[in-house]
Amino acid sequence: MDVLGFVLEGFAALADPQVFAFMIVGFLIGTFFGAMPGLTSVLAIALLLPLTFSMDVVPSLVMCASIFMAGMYAGSITATTINIPGAPSSMMTAIEGHQLMKAGQGANALGHAALGSMIGGSIGAILLMAFLPLAAQASLLIRTPGKFSLVLFALVVIVIVERGAVAKGVIATCLGIMIATIGIDVMQPIPRFTFGTEALTQGIDLMSLIIGTFAVSEILYQASVWKPGDPGLAGAVQGIRIKRRDFLPRWSEVRAIGWLTYLKSALIGYGTGILPGAGGSMAAFVAYADAKRTSRKPEEYGHGSREGIAAAECSNNAMCGGAFVPMLMFGIPGDPTTAIVLGVLVINGLQPGARLLQNQSELIAPMFASLLVSALLLIPLTLYLLGPYLLRIVSIQRGLLYSGISVVALVGSYVATFSTFQMMLALVFGVGAFFLRRENFPVVSLLLGFILGPDLEQYLRRSLALNDGDPSVFLTSPDSVAFLLLTVLFVYFMAVRPRLKAGRAG
């Protein structure tokens, strides 16, 4: 595929005023949800998912991409101003940004966060557009046993990234796989695990699980810690007065951070995004730790380091580009947001894989262009024009906000399926996910287990059927062996080795 033609095709689609308008609306929605603590871009796309039934594919994907980029960036706003990350990926930004805020340099910290987000998001989008066609060609070389080992590798990585909660990650993933087995068998037209209920014959709808585990459970969780009458965040932003010119970072500070820090952090973020289930939190942490390790002024970290802000924000926004690679090539989401974007593809009848990029590039290219435009133009423009007003988002009355989102979530689940039963399942999954979250079970692992479980079963059974039930095919197929070895290496370096080091230190 011609990379230049692919890129031009994407920008040509954005030239359509309607598509461009959807991108801007999506960016503003993502900014709102990202800046509001407790609300994320995952929730925003989950709530908008039912609307994609009445929209064309291109505007739907363009809006999802802009929400993704905006939500990743906007978490830095409240992380800096009131020390409450709007998104989990902004935790490292809160450490440094809020120290600058207390020193009267809050606007400057927000400016560096926006600059890092702009650079990282742009580099991630460019790498995505440049190398995805090559990844598409490579994916054609992977046969059925290799696909099974790849999905197994993804599930293992999803579990072990839950540091300190590996057992709970295994349980949540297995729950997701078990839920996915309900309905028609993946290989034969036979219903299973329906418990005599005809409504379960069609299985559990992806929409019901997404809205339940992310929207309903999030509202229940936030409402459980909310105290009526508490001014909370509204009181925290009172008295903040910021001028637009204060958001512009000084050139001397950018030079002190160094372009190498921006580039290295972006590459770390992009690479982390390719790992299934890693997400922006891990990308920000790894880049922040590496920047601190190589910094000329490590003593500033923890006391208001602009370099730390730049590294964290550059990395978590570059992750957005990397997360699309496994999702589009293998149907393996790189993070929770791309898991829901995968739902948008499935709803519109698009099957991830190399064929999607080769035969329907006119549908995918605008989404990549939206990532680049959102990062390069909309992030700095939004902060400069709306920065002083974005801080007021947190003053919205929580009771009104939660009740409105709850209604939208449940109505959306009904509109998506036109099934009262599936709507009730969304509520049931929401309550169940709420209790799982209270016990620190990762509900993201549950969703990814639900999405990847059918592929794992299908490739396993198909590989065995093609080889007379001989499981040695997974050890004789080169691509399968490569992914199995990669799985062993990840388990060793991310789970076994840290425990061995901790044991020696103890």
Side-chain angles (χ1 to χ4, degrees):
M1 176 185 290
D2 181 14
V3 176
L4 180 60
F6 179 75
V7 172
L8 294 177
E9 193 174 34
F11 285 102
L14 288 187
D16 183 342
Q18 183 182 12
V19 176
F20 192 78
F22 274 110
M23 181 185 67
I24 294 178
V25 170
F27 191 88
L28 294 176
I29 292 174
T31 302
F32 171 82
F33 275 79
M36 178 66 73
L39 307 182
T40 62
S41 60
V42 181
L43 177 59
I45 299 179
L47 291 173
L48 291 174
L49 201 54
L51 297 179
T52 60
F53 284 96
S54 59
M55 294 170 57
D56 292 334
V57 180
V58 171
S60 300
L61 295 178
V62 164
M63 180 180 278
C64 287
S66 61
I67 289 174
F68 190 13
M69 186 64 72
M72 194 63 63
Y73 142 73
S76 64
I77 296 173
T78 47
T80 298
T81 54
I82 54 179
N83 202 26
I84 299 179
S89 57
S90 301
M91 288 187 292
M92 310 313 296
T93 305
I95 295 174
E96 307 297 342
H98 192 60
Q99 293 296 324
L100 289 173
M101 184 73 186
K102 292 193 292 186
Q105 297 291 318
N108 181 258
L110 289 173
H112 280 285
L115 179 62
S117 298
M118 180 188 74
I119 295 173
S122 301
I123 292 176
I126 291 171
L127 291 175
L128 173 64
M129 291 186 284
F131 293 109
L132 190 64
L134 298 177
Q137 295 295 328
S139 67
L140 294 175
L141 303 176
I142 302 176
R143 295 179 295 175
T144 302
K147 291 179 180 179
F148 166 79
S149 299
L150 174 60
V151 175
L152 179 64
F153 164 71
L155 289 172
V156 170
V157 173
I158 289 166
V159 168
I160 62 179
V161 295
E162 300 292 340
R163 300 289 182 92
V166 173
K168 293 181 177 180
V170 171
I171 293 173
T173 304
C174 290
L175 279 175
I177 295 174
M178 290 168 63
I179 295 171
T181 61
I182 298 173
I184 302 297
D185 187 277
V186 294
M187 298 286 286
Q188 300 174 348
I190 301 173
R192 57 182 183 177
F193 305 118
T194 59
F195 308 102
T197 304
E198 186 177 348
L200 287 175
T201 303
Q202 297 180 350
I204 306 299
D205 192 84
L206 176 63
M207 182 73 68
S208 300
L209 191 70
I210 289 176
I211 290 180
T213 54
F214 285 99
V216 177
S217 72
E218 184 68 45
I219 296 304
L220 291 174
Y221 185 80
Q222 293 295 329
S224 68
V225 298
W226 172 59
K227 298 178 181 178
D230 184 2
L233 305 182
V237 297
Q238 289 181 359
I240 296 178
R241 296 290 184 268
I242 297 177
K243 299 178 181 178
R244 287 185 174 85
R245 65 172 178 270
D246 297 333
F247 290 111
L248 302 176
R250 302 181 187 90
W251 176 244
S252 59
E253 296 169 348
V254 175
R255 289 181 58 189
I257 294 172
W259 293 109
L260 181 61
T261 299
Y262 288 107
L263 179 60
K264 182 172 58 174
S265 300
L267 293 176
I268 290 174
Y270 182 80
T272 304
I274 294 176
L275 298 178
S281 300
M282 176 178 287
F285 175 78
V286 173
Y288 178 88
D290 182 76
K292 182 177 181 180
R293 180 182 63 84
T294 59
S295 176
R296 298 176 183 175
K297 299 178 180 179
E299 69 279 357
E300 290 185 357
Y301 281 74
H303 303 283
S305 170
R306 294 173 176 83
E307 185 181 39
I309 295 173
E313 289 300 312
C314 189
S315 183
N316 62 29
N317 280 269
M319 183 278 307
C320 297
F324 277 101
V325 176
M327 189 272 285
L328 290 173
M329 289 299 94
F330 307 106
I332 299 173
D335 85 315
T337 306
T338 50
I340 303 181
V341 176
L342 177 60
V344 177
L345 292 176
V346 173
I347 287 171
N348 287 280
L350 301 178
Q351 185 66 33
R355 304 295 180 191
L356 173 64
L357 200 63
Q358 292 177 348
N359 301 331
Q360 295 176 298
S361 61
E362 71 279 1
L363 303 179
I364 303 300
M367 180 171 63
F368 298 165
S370 176
L371 277 178
L372 181 58
V373 172
S374 296
L376 193 60
L377 296 180
L378 296 186
I379 286 179
L381 190 63
T382 301
L383 182 66
Y384 184 77
L385 295 178
L386 304 178
Y389 307 104
L390 290 176
L391 304 181
R392 307 300 168 189
I393 289 176
V394 296
S395 63
I396 296 177
Q397 200 173 35
R398 288 298 181 95
L400 180 64
L401 184 67
Y402 294 156
S403 58
I405 291 177
S406 301
V407 172
V408 170
L410 291 178
V411 171
S413 66
Y414 176 78
V415 171
T417 61
F418 290 102
S419 169
T420 306
F421 180 76
Q422 293 290 343
M423 183 181 70
M424 296 305 295
L425 280 181
L427 185 59
V428 170
F429 285 133
V431 174
F434 164 69
F435 286 107
L436 287 175
R437 290 186 59 179
R438 289 191 60 173
E439 298 300 325
N440 295 320
F441 282 86
V443 294
V444 173
S445 298
L446 185 146
L447 176 63
L448 296 179
F450 177 85
I451 291 174
L452 299 179
D455 287 338
L456 184 74
E457 179 187 1
Q458 179 180 356
Y459 295 138
L460 172 64
R461 293 170 60 180
R462 187 177 295 174
S463 299
L464 294 176
L466 293 173
N467 293 274
D468 300 323
D470 184 6
S472 64
V473 65
F474 299 109
L475 300 177
T476 56
S477 179
D479 50 353
S480 176
V481 171
F483 287 119
L484 290 176
L485 289 175
L486 196 61
T487 303
V488 173
L489 288 175
F490 266 79
V491 170
Y492 175 73
F493 284 105
M494 296 184 68
V496 177
R497 191 180 180 187
R499 291 197 175 191
L500 292 177
K501 285 187 175 181
R504 293 194 191 103

